[in-house]
């Protein structure tokens, strides 16, 4: 959910400067949509790599670590080396840039809390502890086994 949520401000971050520079709304929309397609292309490349290297389409724990590490590195680099400096460049007081960064963190933290509460509620009513993970505990919950 968080990764999907970051696509909204990402699209805005692509469209607004293009719109401001050209005044062409359709082209700004087109470039924002094209940047979203890059994610689809990246997903297809990742799926292809998994398919070629592991025919049962399972990624090892090391593979997940590498994939998530690469993704985190790219996102952090873009955030700290490109987006935050651009925000400070345009907001000379730095107040609104700081405020927006904090709001972004708060939105992501709130979405984590909402998801945790929703998964906890699912676990109470249907023994589904979020995507069917095995948490290493007995799922007896007071039911008799015959």
């Amino acid at each position: 959910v968080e990764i999907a949520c970051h696509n909204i401000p990402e699209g805005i971050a692509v469209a607004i400067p293009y719109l401001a520079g050209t005044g062409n709304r359709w082209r700004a929309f087109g470039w924002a949509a094209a940047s979203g397609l890059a994610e689809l292309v990246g997903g297809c490349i990742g799926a292809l790599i998994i398919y070629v290297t592991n025919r049962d389409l399972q990624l090892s724990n090391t593979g997940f670590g590498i994939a998530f590490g690469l993704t985190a590195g790219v996102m952090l680099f873009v955030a700290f080396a490109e987006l935050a400096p651009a925000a400070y460049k345009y907001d000379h007081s730095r107040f609104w840039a700081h405020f927006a960064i904090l709001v972004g963190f708060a939105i992501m933290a709130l979405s984590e809390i909402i998801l945790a509460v929703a998964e906890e509620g699912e676990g109470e009513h249907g023994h589904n502890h979020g995507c069917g993970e095995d948490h290493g505990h007995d799922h007896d919950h007071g039911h008799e086994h015959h």
Side-chain angles (χ1 to χ4, degrees):
V1 171
E2 288 84 6
I3 292 175
C5 287
H6 99 278
N7 288 332
I8 295 169
E10 183 178 298
I12 294 168
V14 170
I16 288 178
Y18 194 87
L19 178 62
T22 67
N24 188 322
R25 292 179 184 188
W26 286 108
R27 284 197 179 158
F29 175 78
W31 280 112
S35 74
L37 288 176
E39 189 169 336
L40 176 63
V41 170
C44 291
I45 291 169
L48 180 64
I49 290 169
I50 293 170
Y51 179 76
V52 168
T53 60
N54 194 345
R55 294 291 176 153
D56 64 358
L57 301 181
Q58 297 297 315
L59 194 59
S60 68
N61 287 341
T62 301
F64 274 113
I66 291 168
F68 289 139
L70 285 171
T71 303
V74 168
M75 288 179 155
L76 287 171
F77 179 84
V78 169
F80 290 120
E82 301 292 333
L83 297 176
Y88 296 134
K89 175 183 173 185
Y90 292 104
D91 179 20
H92 298 292
S93 73
R94 301 176 71 104
F95 173 81
W96 291 109
H98 283 312
F99 181 76
I101 290 169
L102 290 174
V103 168
F105 275 115
I107 289 169
M108 300 314 285
L110 184 60
S111 71
E112 280 288 311
I113 293 167
I114 291 169
L115 283 173
V117 169
E119 287 178 354
E120 187 176 296
E122 288 176 8
E124 293 174 3
H125 300 292
H127 301 289
N128 179 7
H129 297 283
C131 301
E133 299 112 2
D134 178 15
H135 296 287
H137 62 269
D138 184 13
H139 282 84
D140 182 8
H141 299 289
H143 301 287
E144 291 184 34
H145 294 284
H146 298 279

